[in-house]
């Protein structure tokens, strides 16, 4: 019977713990645990003042800043500061070192509070909630992923931001509209650089991705232009180059909106040439018209789309930058297009500007 009673008591405790987990939100359980940790640190400082430093409260403070939301964190910081005051009151003597340690902890508590208010403004609950921003960033990058292509086609993309972070004002969207043999690719350069342009790039990548798969090639840039005009951003303009490629015949149409011109390589001569397509910058002129440069990609031909960060540098004409890029392309990609986009981005362009490259090759 004793064993049966013990088993029942264990089961009862487990059931009670399970009920607590279901009824208490995760943040409340974190708060209780961290307050308990702060109380433990206070008791240890009081009992062992010579061995336990006053800075022990920094551990629950740091953990709280990571896991608690903006509504709970201010109260938690206040509780910790009260516990720190208690720890200070039980000290036998006050030295300059003690006052310095306490002052630093109060400053750190103030910094944590400021961080909490900023997260509240952003709508991000805590550091774990910042995974939402990571997910949004990954969505930008995933839209640049190339869909499955028929045998004989290869498309490579490469993107580098000015600040070295995954957020950039340049982005690529590539889709294969359902029920068609077309590949639609757009390379966009949003006004601004790095994280400053990241929010606009995020919004535009989703909107343009939907337009790219739903509209005919000739309708895409006019619709994108109308969308940017509706946003009424202070820096609401963007440049873009749009490629529509028939994966059966190799026929293509390239349309540009204030963007550096696309270039094409003829396998027979091995030379790169500039495609003459033009159009106004997106988001500035209503009912803009975009002309197309057309042609066919034969076996061995390639087509290159890029942003101005690849060819623009201070005190240098953009035409000279394009000539330099074509010279590098002839040397780097002679008969071998493996890693073509990454090679070009690594070799060319300004490190102070976002850079994006798309290389389309028909084997």
């Amino acid at each position: 019977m004793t064993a049966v009673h013990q088993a029942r008591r264990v089961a009862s405790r487990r059931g009670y713990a399970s009920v607590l987990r279901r009824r208490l939100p995760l943040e409340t359980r974190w708060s209780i645990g961290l307050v308990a940790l702060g109380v433990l640190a206070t008791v240890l400082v009081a009992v062992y003042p010579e061995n336990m430093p006053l800075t022990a409260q920094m551990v629950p403070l740091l953990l709280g800043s990571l896991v608690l939301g903006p509504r709970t964190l201010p109260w938690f910081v206040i509780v910790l500061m009260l516990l720190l005051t208690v720890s200070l009151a039980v000290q036998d003597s006050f030295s300059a070192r003690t006052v310095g340690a306490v002052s630093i902890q109060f400053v750190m508590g103030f910094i944590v509070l400021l961080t909490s208010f900023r997260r509240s403004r952003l709508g991000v609950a805590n550091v774990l909630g910042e995974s939402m921003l990571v997910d949004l960033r990954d969505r930008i990058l995933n839209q640049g992923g190339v869909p499955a292509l028929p045998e004989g086609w290869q498309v490579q993309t490469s993107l580098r931001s000015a600040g070295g972070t995954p957020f950039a004002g340049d982005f690529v969207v590539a889709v294969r509209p359902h029920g068609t043999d077309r590949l639609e690719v757009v390379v966009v350069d949003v006004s601004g650089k790095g994280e400053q342009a990241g929010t606009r790039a995020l919004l535009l990548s989703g909107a343009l991705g939907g337009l790219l798969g739903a509209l005919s090639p000739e309708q895409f840039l006019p619709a994108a232009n109308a969308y940017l005009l509706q946003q009424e951003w202070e820096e609401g303009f963007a440049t873009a180059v749009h490629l529509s490629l028939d994966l059966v015949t190799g026929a293509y149409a390239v349309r540009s909106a204030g963007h550096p011109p696309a270039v094409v390589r003829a396998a027979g001569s091995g030379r790169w040439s500039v495609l003459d397509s033009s159009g106004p910058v997106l988001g500035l002129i209503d009912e803009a018209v975009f002309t197309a440069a057309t042609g066919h990609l034969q076996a061995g031909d390639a087509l290159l789309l890029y942003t101005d960060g690849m060819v623009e540098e201070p005190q240098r004409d953009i035409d000279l930058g394009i000539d330099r890029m074509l010279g590098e392309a002839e040397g780097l990609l002679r008969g071998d297009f493996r890693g073509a986009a990454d090679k070009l981005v690594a070799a060319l362009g300004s490190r102070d500007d976002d850079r994006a490259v798309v290389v389309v090759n028909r084997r």
Side-chain angles (χ1 to χ4, degrees):
M1 291 296 292
T2 302
V4 172
H5 285 305
Q6 289 179 345
R8 287 177 178 175
R9 281 197 292 268
V10 171
S12 177
R13 292 193 195 101
R14 290 177 178 174
Y16 181 67
S18 176
V19 169
L20 282 179
R21 284 195 297 270
R22 287 197 300 267
R23 291 185 178 179
L24 290 178
L26 177 61
E27 187 171 342
T28 302
R29 299 202 300 270
W30 269 112
S31 302
I32 294 172
L34 290 173
V35 169
L37 183 60
V39 172
L40 176 62
T42 303
V43 172
L44 291 176
V45 169
V47 177
Y48 305 104
E50 296 181 356
N51 299 322
M52 197 68 180
L54 281 169
T55 53
Q57 297 288 6
M58 294 289 287
V59 176
L61 179 64
L62 177 60
L63 291 175
S65 69
L66 294 175
V67 299
L68 298 182
R71 287 186 296 181
T72 306
L73 186 56
W75 296 105
F76 175 71
V77 172
I78 292 173
V79 170
L80 281 188
M81 294 303 103
L82 292 175
L83 292 174
L84 179 60
T85 304
V86 173
S87 300
L88 185 63
V90 299
Q91 298 294 308
D92 295 331
S93 60
F94 297 94
S95 64
R97 192 180 186 88
T98 300
V99 174
V102 172
S103 300
I104 290 175
Q105 290 193 78
F106 272 102
V107 170
M108 291 301 298
F110 180 69
I111 293 174
V112 169
L113 285 177
L114 288 181
T115 304
S116 173
F117 295 147
R118 180 173 180 271
R119 287 183 190 153
S120 179
R121 180 173 174 266
L122 291 172
V124 179
N126 47 40
V127 169
L128 298 178
E130 291 175 6
S131 59
M132 174 186 68
L133 300 179
V134 176
D135 179 63
L136 294 176
R137 178 205 67 192
D138 291 342
R139 288 178 183 273
I140 294 179
L141 299 178
N142 290 338
Q143 291 217 19
V146 180
L149 300 176
E151 185 71 23
W153 290 100
Q154 182 181 30
V155 178
Q156 303 172 61
T157 66
S158 184
L159 174 65
R160 304 281 175 87
S161 71
T165 68
F167 287 101
D170 295 355
F171 64 89
V172 178
V173 180
V175 300
R176 282 189 67 182
H178 181 69
T180 71
D181 293 316
R182 296 196 329 267
L183 173 67
E184 304 289 336
V185 180
V186 62
V187 180
V188 182
D189 183 358
V190 178
S191 57
K193 298 177 183 178
E195 293 92 339
Q196 296 176 354
T199 54
R200 292 193 298 275
L202 174 63
L203 179 61
L204 283 180
S205 66
L208 298 190
L211 294 175
L212 197 61
L215 301 176
S216 63
E218 60 274 8
Q219 293 176 319
F220 170 70
L221 285 180
N225 182 59
Y227 177 81
L228 264 81
L229 287 170
Q230 290 176 357
Q231 304 311 306
E232 297 182 348
W233 292 330
E234 289 185 6
E235 297 184 13
F237 63 90
T239 68
V241 59
H242 169 220
L243 166 68
S244 180
L245 175 65
D246 191 315
L247 297 171
V248 176
T249 65
Y252 66 82
V254 175
R255 294 173 175 84
S256 178
H259 204 82
V263 294
V264 63
R265 177 187 183 271
S269 64
R271 298 287 183 177
W272 294 84
S273 57
V274 175
L275 292 175
D276 184 17
S277 61
S278 61
V281 173
L282 297 177
L284 295 182
I285 302 174
D286 195 12
E287 297 183 0
V289 177
F290 305 92
T291 59
T294 59
H296 284 77
L297 290 182
Q298 306 296 335
D301 290 353
L303 197 146
L304 177 62
L305 310 176
Y306 56 95
T307 57
D308 59 6
M310 291 292 296
V311 293
E312 279 189 349
E313 289 188 6
Q315 300 179 350
R316 188 179 73 179
D317 186 75
I318 190 172
D319 291 334
L320 295 177
I322 294 175
D323 290 340
R324 182 187 172 210
M325 182 185 69
L326 296 182
E328 289 283 349
E330 287 185 10
L332 290 174
L333 311 180
R334 192 184 301 273
D336 185 4
F337 285 87
R338 288 176 297 182
D342 289 331
K343 290 179 182 178
L344 288 172
V345 168
L348 295 167
S350 171
R351 300 305 186 266
D352 297 326
D353 198 357
D354 301 327
R355 291 163 288 158
V357 170
V358 177
V359 179
V360 181
N361 171 232
R362 188 171 191 180
R363 298 174 182 174

